[in-house]
Amino acid sequence: MRSITKILQLGFCWLMLGTPALADSSVDLIPKPRSLVWQNGQFEVNAQTRLTYNSAQAEEVARLFSTWLQPTTGYLLPLGEGQSTNTIAFVQTPGDAKDESYQLSVTQKQITLTANSRAGLFYAMQTLRQLMPAELESQQPINRAAWVVPAVQIKDAPRFAYRGMHLDVSRHFFDIAFVKRYIDWLALHKLNRFQWHLTDDQGWRIEIKAFPKLTQVGASRHHTVVGHTYDYQPLFDDKPVSGFYTQAQVRELVAYAAARHVEVIPEIDIPGHSTAIVAAYPELSCHGQPVEVTGQFGIFEQVLCPTEKSFDFLRQVYQEVAELFPASRIHIGGDEVLKEQWLASEQVARLMQEQGLESPEQVQSYFIKRVADIVTDLGKTPVGWDEILEGGAAKQANIMSWRGEEGGIEAARLGHNVIMSPYQWLYFDAYQSRSLDEPKAIHGLTRLKQVYDYDPLPQSLTTQEQARILGAQGALWTEYVKTPRHAEYMVLPRLAALAEVLWSPIDARDWSSFSHRLPALLKRYQSMGLNPSLSAYYPQIRVENSAENELKVTLDTDIAGLPIHFTLDGEPVTINAPRYQAPLLIQTPTTVRASSWVDSQRSLLGNLQLSLAPHKGVGKSYKFKHAPAEGSEKRLLDGVLAVDQFYDVNDFTVLYGVDLDVTVDLQTSAALSKVVLGVDAGMHRQLHPPRRVKVYVSETGQQWQEVAHLNEAQIQGPVLTLTFPVRQGRFVRVFAENRQDSHDPQIPLLPLYIDELQIW
């Protein structure tokens, strides 16, 4: 395999005009083919090369290849039937028209692409594209005598039939030109399903002629929240957002995708996530009151009422949608349905009595089954998020498992076909590293390697049950993704990792191999003018308590062998900073910063920063009066501060609807003078701090002395410091009162997030 440096050297060779270009991709195909044999020699594509075909469908693929090749090379290659030397032959053979397998043969005299179907020929073309120099992707003229392709024999076929990617255009609207480019990315990576999330609380994005207010009213909002929707003091940008796709644009996009073997699956999300619908047609709610399209993000109470008026509305909507989208499936949503408005509705109460429904979950099941029947009557298969299993799912529905794998496992056992889309691995709106350079994301961390390591087939299922797993799908939700450049960064190259998960045989997948092939793919993205993330090269940090008042810090990278440079004084990392060799032992408050040196970029990458506090409470025992969220108690005394990190719930001790009241046993008596409490949720998202804080000290754990407190006026987040005259004590008790909703004093406004309880 070629080193990153070697690839750069070859890239320099490509710039020499008038000479055949050496292919940079001799081992760099993504996704990895099923069978690949390298041979001696190469084929030169020049102005005399002829494109041949033996069927109408083969001709279509040949013309797509010619269209891709022409802008950079300037070649207007002749097309025709028959075969000869210096040809690229597109050959369709008799067989299953749904077969996506192909063969690709490159010799010194000819390139031959062979498949039973147009799809197979198209995927063979995508492989040929990757065998050719990345500069061809620029679509800018380059004067060169010939372009070479290494000699190779490839036999290939996908592992999964359903290979999908999703795009949310409701939260932030993306024009049709961008959506076409998005389709192009899917096609390059041999993905064949595109789920178009067209409706949500923040905007309705598709023209429905029977209900013009859906776009006249529902496609616009007055403003959008600045920062995260749960910020302590949310602000709005006062910039209207609007946009929708006309039916003519939808047909244009569907045809564009079909030519690239991408089936477009529309999502019309009901009965929740319906604020835009209710804003346009309030009579479809249970309350009938006017509402506005929201500029916030999250989960909202607006829900369609399970009345005949709602079902008549949806019948007409889905009928128009079905006519626009020839896909075999329609996604009906069904996720995150808040049921308060149903519970308060007399109409719903009567429905429950008439239908024998005993819970709001059964109301949801009734609603979804009615909609599933509508979709089925239109000749389509309904798809829903895994919440539609609650109360019982329609038998004909496909289940898309997003809250983990559990919903997909349950659905497969119940006999449903399943598409895996667990957020822990396949939601690309999460951060890609802990670098401070990462653009704003929703929360959480989904590294490139996490995507690559995912397997859609749960081992707990039987072989028969595994057969119901159709494949998997990635997702890009766009609450915090406003621009095409940001979208490119979030999707690429995680899309490539997903592609290899879904296409390549499981026994052929290998992270080391993938990471060696990655630089050539990144070069191809950059030639396409795209903005891929380089986060896979960024360093990572692990911290553990190694001894009394001591933390052990380990630095590494997912891509092996990269040099890491670091500082321990909070200063930026340079190439002259120490190179990491062995774990670091930290005994005083320290800010660790680290970056990786990457030859292919000739620069340090990643701006990792983590503040550590090896205080007296690290690793000590503790007892809560009110239990925190399961597993989160371990974060209270780990010595790691999250205040300078992006928000990740896993960094915090989280208390839902209760106060923090914790007692720490230091095991021996110690001189104490300060307690520090992190109370906000780090960079990019700050939650409500507590209303007041008190600190107590005791030698016995029975008799307590209050030594410090902060009232509401004194609390200025995100770090609260409480100092006091030196006190001797073994036990420290900290009380932080949760802030309550100003409208309802009985309900805490938000969970209480505690970063690190430092005891000094």
Side-chain angles (χ1 to χ4, degrees):
M1 294 183 181
R2 294 184 179 166
S3 68
I4 298 172
T5 303
K6 183 64 175 176
I7 289 168
L8 278 174
Q9 292 169 348
L10 290 174
F12 178 78
C13 291
W14 295 331
L15 299 178
M16 299 173 63
L17 301 182
T19 58
L22 295 176
D24 68 326
S25 306
S26 60
V27 288
D28 298 326
L29 299 177
I30 296 177
K32 189 175 183 179
R34 182 161 297 200
S35 171
L36 181 151
V37 179
W38 297 101
Q39 298 181 327
N40 295 325
Q42 60 192 30
F43 179 88
E44 293 190 6
V45 180
N46 54 42
Q48 288 72 48
T49 301
R50 178 181 175 86
L51 304 181
T52 67
Y53 53 83
N54 71 338
S55 72
Q57 290 191 336
E59 180 184 2
E60 292 173 0
V61 180
R63 291 189 181 278
L64 278 175
F65 180 72
S66 178
T67 299
W68 172 76
L69 197 64
Q70 192 274 330
T72 306
T73 65
Y75 300 159
L76 294 174
L77 301 183
L79 282 84
E81 298 181 0
Q83 293 184 347
S84 63
T85 59
N86 196 17
T87 61
I88 303 176
F90 295 79
V91 180
Q92 185 174 6
T93 53
D96 184 358
K98 295 182 179 179
D99 181 6
E100 295 178 300
S101 66
Y102 68 88
Q103 296 182 42
L104 175 61
S105 170
V106 180
T107 69
Q108 291 180 330
K109 294 182 178 181
Q110 187 179 54
I111 296 176
T112 307
L113 301 83
T114 307
N116 292 338
S117 67
R118 185 186 187 280
L121 286 174
F122 181 81
Y123 295 134
M125 185 191 84
Q126 298 305 318
T127 300
L128 175 58
R129 179 176 166 185
Q130 284 197 50
L131 287 171
M132 301 185 76
E135 283 89 342
L136 285 165
E137 304 289 356
S138 70
Q139 300 292 283
Q140 299 297 319
I142 298 176
N143 182 22
R144 186 169 293 161
W147 301 78
V148 304
V149 185
V152 66
Q153 298 291 326
I154 293 174
K155 294 182 180 180
D156 202 6
R159 181 185 179 201
F160 289 100
Y162 189 108
R163 307 180 300 280
M165 188 62 200
H166 153 289
L167 177 65
D168 165 21
V169 295
S170 175
R171 277 51 179 264
H172 284 99
F173 179 73
F174 294 86
D175 65 26
I176 203 73
F178 173 79
V179 182
K180 286 182 177 180
R181 293 201 301 275
Y182 202 84
I183 295 293
D184 288 338
W185 306 345
L186 271 59
L188 173 64
H189 294 86
K190 301 184 177 72
L191 300 183
N192 62 357
R193 300 291 192 279
F194 170 53
Q195 182 179 324
W196 207 1
H197 185 83
L198 291 162
T199 73
D200 217 295
D201 297 293
Q202 295 78 19
W204 180 281
R205 304 297 181 204
I206 181 172
E207 177 188 20
I208 300 296
K209 294 186 182 298
F211 299 100
K213 287 184 181 180
L214 287 172
T215 48
Q216 292 170 357
V217 176
S220 301
R221 63 176 184 264
H222 298 305
H223 56 205
T224 303
V225 66
V226 175
H228 275 84
T229 194
Y230 295 126
D231 279 358
Y232 177 38
Q233 296 175 326
L235 302 174
F236 294 88
D237 60 11
D238 295 326
K239 296 178 181 178
V241 174
S242 62
F244 67 92
Y245 307 102
T246 66
Q247 293 198 357
Q249 287 176 315
V250 169
R251 291 190 181 94
E252 177 187 347
L253 188 281
V254 167
Y256 185 90
R260 289 151 182 81
H261 294 278
V262 176
E263 183 180 72
V264 184
I265 300 171
E267 181 183 1
I268 307 297
D269 199 353
I270 51 86
H273 287 288
S274 294
T275 305
I277 300 176
V278 175
Y281 295 98
E283 63 270 23
L284 298 177
S285 70
C286 290
H287 55 72
Q289 301 301 311
V291 301
E292 291 187 343
V293 180
T294 183
Q296 285 271 42
F297 303 122
I299 308 173
F300 301 92
E301 290 188 3
Q302 299 306 327
V303 62
L304 299 182
C305 208
T307 62
E308 293 307 313
K309 182 186 291 289
S310 292
F311 296 125
D312 287 343
F313 164 82
L314 291 173
R315 185 173 294 105
Q316 295 180 70
V317 168
Y318 283 117
Q319 181 172 347
E320 290 196 32
V321 169
E323 291 171 355
L324 290 169
F325 294 90
S328 60
R329 296 175 176 85
I330 292 178
H331 204 300
I332 61 176
D335 60 312
E336 298 177 329
V337 180
L338 299 183
K339 304 173 178 70
E340 283 78 4
Q341 292 183 1
W342 285 351
L343 291 171
S345 168
E346 293 182 0
Q347 297 175 82
V348 175
R350 288 195 297 272
L351 175 71
M352 293 179 71
Q353 186 174 14
E354 291 169 1
Q355 298 293 327
L357 307 177
E358 298 179 353
S359 68
E361 287 72 29
Q362 291 184 357
V363 175
Q364 176 173 319
S365 176
Y366 170 82
F367 196 115
I368 293 296
K369 287 177 178 178
R370 289 287 304 269
V371 174
D373 286 342
I374 291 171
V375 171
T376 302
D377 288 345
L378 293 168
K380 308 289 188 178
T381 298
V383 185
W385 301 107
D386 56 59
E387 286 97 327
I388 71 171
L389 292 168
E390 297 169 5
K395 291 181 179 179
Q396 68 270 43
N398 289 180
I399 306 300
M400 190 166 282
S401 187
W402 77 273
R403 293 180 297 176
E405 294 186 300
E406 293 77 12
I409 292 170
E410 177 187 353
R413 288 173 174 163
L414 291 172
H416 295 276
N417 285 337
V418 174
I419 300 142
M420 286 295 192
S421 189
Y423 75 90
Q424 301 95 326
W425 291 277
L426 300 185
Y427 270 31
F428 296 167
D429 51 335
Y431 289 95
Q432 300 182 69
S433 79
R434 286 189 170 273
S435 170
L436 300 186
D437 295 333
E438 292 287 347
K440 190 190 314 180
I442 188 166
H443 57 68
L445 182 67
T446 305
R447 305 191 317 277
L448 181 67
K449 188 174 186 298
Q450 288 174 265
V451 179
Y452 190 82
D453 287 344
Y454 179 64
D455 184 4
L457 292 183
Q459 294 305 303
S460 59
L461 295 178
T462 66
T463 301
Q464 183 179 8
E465 292 164 346
Q466 284 184 341
R468 299 189 183 108
I469 308 296
L470 304 179
Q473 180 170 287
L476 181 63
W477 301 98
T478 61
E479 286 93 336
Y480 305 102
V481 180
K482 296 183 179 182
T483 67
R485 296 297 279 174
H486 193 175
E488 291 167 10
Y489 182 91
M490 301 304 284
V491 169
L492 304 171
R494 289 189 284 195
L495 189 70
L498 172 64
E500 191 146 310
V501 165
L502 295 176
W503 182 277
S504 304
I506 184 66
D507 57 0
R509 280 173 43 202
D510 174 74
W511 169 253
S512 177
S513 167
F514 180 84
S515 63
H516 277 85
R517 287 176 279 135
L518 184 59
L521 182 66
L522 293 173
K523 179 179 176 64
R524 191 165 296 273
Y525 290 155
Q526 290 160 350
S527 292
M528 295 167 70
L530 299 174
N531 180 38
S533 170
L534 302 177
S535 301
Y537 298 98
Y538 296 175
Q540 299 174 61
I541 187 169
R542 295 195 304 274
V543 181
E544 56 185 313
N545 182 209
S546 61
E548 185 80 14
N549 299 337
E550 182 178 85
L551 298 172
K552 184 171 77 171
V553 174
T554 304
L555 300 173
D556 63 10
T557 56
D558 279 338
I559 295 178
L562 297 179
I564 301 173
H565 295 265
F566 69 94
T567 64
L568 297 178
D569 55 6
E571 290 297 312
V573 178
T574 69
I575 194 62
N576 296 319
R579 181 172 171 177
Y580 176 79
Q581 302 289 348
L584 310 172
L585 300 178
I586 306 299
Q587 297 173 332
T588 58
T590 301
T591 297
V592 180
R593 298 187 70 169
S595 299
S596 305
W597 175 261
V598 181
D599 282 344
S600 64
Q601 305 296 317
R602 303 305 299 171
S603 65
L604 290 165
L605 295 182
N607 183 14
L608 180 69
Q609 176 176 307
L610 193 63
S611 297
L612 304 175
H615 56 86
K616 295 175 181 178
V618 171
K620 301 302 191 297
S621 60
Y622 47 81
K623 183 177 181 180
F624 287 92
K625 183 176 180 180
H626 307 294
E630 184 178 358
S632 73
E633 69 281 353
K634 297 181 290 185
R635 297 294 184 182
L636 188 69
L637 299 169
D638 62 3
V640 180
L641 279 60
V643 66
D644 56 2
Q645 302 296 302
F646 62 75
Y647 168 77
D648 185 341
V649 68
N650 296 314
D651 290 340
F652 297 89
T653 296
V654 186
L655 297 111
Y656 292 105
V658 295
D659 302 321
L660 169 69
D661 194 342
V662 62
T663 299
V664 180
D665 182 359
L666 300 177
Q667 291 155 12
T668 60
S669 182
L672 307 171
S673 61
K674 183 169 66 174
V675 165
V676 181
L677 197 65
V679 296
D680 286 348
M683 294 172 56
H684 305 321
R685 185 154 111 174
Q686 296 182 339
L687 303 184
H688 289 65
R691 186 166 175 265
R692 56 178 176 156
V693 179
K694 292 184 177 183
V695 177
Y696 304 85
V697 172
S698 171
E699 283 283 11
T700 64
Q702 300 297 322
Q703 298 174 327
W704 296 95
Q705 180 183 9
E706 181 179 333
V707 294
H709 73 272
L710 294 175
N711 58 36
E712 188 167 7
Q714 295 172 309
I715 292 178
Q716 302 291 329
V719 178
L720 307 180
T721 301
L722 298 94
T723 57
F724 47 90
V726 176
R727 292 286 190 274
Q728 198 72 22
R730 171 180 169 177
F731 297 90
V732 177
R733 179 187 173 198
V734 177
F735 171 79
E737 182 180 337
N738 203 345
R739 191 175 293 268
Q740 294 180 323
D741 192 319
S742 58
H743 301 291
D744 186 347
Q746 303 303 312
I747 302 176
L749 185 60
L750 284 171
L752 188 59
Y753 289 72
I754 304 299
D755 171 11
E756 175 75 8
L757 171 57
Q758 303 175 47
I759 300 172
W760 301 97

